[in-house]
Amino acid sequence: MSVAFNGSNSKLQLNATLSISYPFSAFCWVKCDSTTLSQMVFGVGQDGTPDDALYLFADGAGTGKMAAFARDNGSNAANSTTSLSTSWTPALAVFASATSRTIYYGAGAAVSQTSSISPTFASINRITAGCRNNDTLHFDGDLAHLTLWSAALTQANFDSLAAGAVPSSVAAGSLYDYWELAAATATHTGANGRVLTASNTTTGATDPPVGGGALSGNAALSPITASGGFLSLASSLTGNATLAAIIASGSLGVAPGV
């Protein structure tokens, strides 16, 4: 399943000292209910202010694309080639450095943007899904498989994610944390122990295509009946063996005494 956000006051968040820096990557499976609203999807930022942030941004009211959004006192974003979708779509934002951010979204080619944006990482103290770090730009739709890495993921990594790999198995050595979001609960504990607290979320109705499914069933075999006969055939194997003459040698022991 997934977690659904209502576009007005739903969110998941963790306020803590995050200890992050470049490079950094954020991923999720996303299904927008609206493609004409500008909505922050998932990322990190400074609690209570729009500054110092690294996010996946669904810019429906602007470009109509998914973006890798970075902000210090200003902001810049790499916009996807693929337009926002109301179907399940994988989205990955890679923040490699102050001058490199790349968006991967759906089947479109990766897009990078290189203007200088350098958030103050010591001020970044909030993980948020479903809204901006100052509780604005709420997301309307479903999210699942939120993942953060302390590394710059690659095209090959994204191809694995888009093909349905469980995100925690991709670039596992640099996994910051992973939340499956299989259903709406009060809290969601990540693979590395970080806890997101939920507000006004519900369980989504569908599953993103991750991890494959279990196959079950049975097969009935009809009885096996043997028929036919056995034929007596002369063997076609011939040959012979030759033994060399046997020669005995040795002695019978000590000669008898006189």
Side-chain angles (χ1 to χ4, degrees), residues 10 59 65 78 124 146 162 201:
S10 295
D59 191 16
K65 305 297 179 65
I124 292 179
L146 308 181
T201 59

Side-chain angles (χ1 to χ4, degrees), residues 8-22:
S8 60
N9 61 2
S10 295
K11 65 181 177 181
L12 301 175
Q13 71 177 50
L14 164 63
N15 286 0
T17 301
L18 301 181
S19 301
I20 65 168
S21 60
Y22 289 125

Side-chain angles (χ1 to χ4, degrees), residues 82-98:
T82 304
S83 297
L84 294 175
S85 173
T86 56
S87 299
W88 279 115
T89 308
L92 171 67
V94 177
F95 304 96
S97 70

Side-chain angles (χ1 to χ4, degrees), residues 21-27 54 92-104 112 147-158 161 170-176:
S21 60
Y22 289 125
F24 190 70
S25 301
F27 171 85
L54 304 169
L92 171 67
V94 177
F95 304 96
S97 70
T99 56
S100 177
R101 59 208 59 88
T102 302
I103 185 67
Y104 301 83
S112 296
T147 317
L148 300 173
W149 292 268
S150 55
L153 266 63
T154 65
Q155 179 72 58
N157 294 144
F158 179 72
L161 293 165
V170 175
S174 59
L175 182 70
Y176 185 84

Side-chain angles (χ1 to χ4, degrees), residues 2-248:
S2 62
V3 170
F5 297 76
N6 61 21
S8 60
N9 61 2
S10 295
K11 65 181 177 181
L12 301 175
Q13 71 177 50
L14 164 63
N15 286 0
T17 301
L18 301 181
S19 301
I20 65 168
S21 60
Y22 289 125
F24 190 70
S25 301
F27 171 85
C28 67
W29 281 85
V30 53
K31 185 167 77 70
C32 298
D33 284 348
S34 170
T35 60
T36 60
L37 298 175
S38 290
Q39 312 163 85
M40 286 295 183
V41 177
F42 173 54
V44 299
Q46 182 181 167
D47 186 21
T49 169
D51 293 334
D52 300 322
L54 304 169
Y55 270 91
L56 282 163
F57 177 40
D59 191 16
T63 63
K65 305 297 179 65
M66 187 66 72
F69 171 91
R71 182 179 177 93
D72 46 22
N73 292 319
S75 63
N76 267 295
N79 297 311
S80 64
T81 55
T82 304
S83 297
L84 294 175
S85 173
T86 56
S87 299
W88 279 115
T89 308
L92 171 67
V94 177
F95 304 96
S97 70
T99 56
S100 177
R101 59 208 59 88
T102 302
I103 185 67
Y104 301 83
Y105 181 66
V111 178
S112 296
Q113 202 267 349
T114 58
S115 60
S116 182
I117 295 291
S118 187
T120 303
F121 284 104
S123 298
I124 292 179
N125 60 358
R126 191 178 195 190
I127 298 172
T128 309
C131 69
R132 199 174 190 176
N133 42 300
N134 63 342
D135 291 325
T136 61
L137 298 177
H138 284 267
F139 176 71
D140 185 13
D142 295 350
L143 299 178
H145 300 285
L146 308 181
T147 317
L148 300 173
W149 292 268
S150 55
L153 266 63
T154 65
Q155 179 72 58
N157 294 144
F158 179 72
D159 290 344
S160 295
L161 293 165
V166 176
S168 58
S169 70
V170 175
S174 59
L175 182 70
Y176 185 84
D177 222 326
Y178 163 68
W179 301 268
E180 182 181 0
L181 304 193
T185 56
T187 59
H188 298 268
T189 301
N192 289 337
R194 295 177 176 87
V195 180
L196 299 177
T197 300
S199 298
N200 303 306
T201 59
T202 56
T203 299
T206 58
D207 296 310
V210 174
L215 298 178
S216 63
N218 54 69
L221 297 178
S222 298
I224 298 172
T225 302
S227 62
F230 295 99
L231 299 178
S232 298
L233 298 175
S235 172
S236 62
L237 298 177
T238 61
N240 56 70
T242 301
L243 297 177
I246 299 174
I247 299 173

